[in-house]
Amino acid sequence: INAEYGGKAASGSDLKLGLATAPVLYAAREFPQLNDMILRGFSGEGDAEEAFHLVGRSEGVELTRQLAERYCAGAIRDLEDMPECEERDALSSLCDLVLNRTN
């Protein structure tokens, strides 16, 4: 997968735990064979590796990044209604952290 999107996505650790995250769900639109793997929690032999490969070939990571950007943009717009304070700054920084995390 693309290391730009963050450590968990780039390592496939969620797949090994049986978790279908947003990149996998988006990738399943392009590669329907992922749906069976998702339903069995990637417990079949080679499931996690194959899912990792398919996600890497898909638009799943990019679509997930775009989704996160939309949510963060909305959160930042909502924060504009708050008075300037440390808490507002911290929440705004959290959006940046989410979008630019590396692990």
Side-chain angles (χ1 to χ4, degrees), residues 27-82:
R29 294 177 176 175
E30 294 175 61
F31 300 101
Q33 63 267 41
L34 280 167
N35 291 314
D36 288 336
M37 292 181 220
I38 291 167
L39 289 173
R40 64 179 172 257
F42 309 102
S43 63
E45 187 171 333
D47 278 358
E49 294 80 8
E50 178 66 11
F52 184 87
H53 175 72
L54 293 172
V55 171
R57 290 179 44 209
S58 77
E59 295 294 318
V61 172
E62 175 60 23
L63 292 170
T64 300
R65 185 189 59 74
Q66 292 173 10
L67 178 66
E69 286 177 348
R70 285 193 305 273
Y71 273 97
C72 284
I76 289 171
R77 273 192 308 276
D78 290 345
L79 287 172
E80 292 172 359
D81 293 336
M82 290 180 62

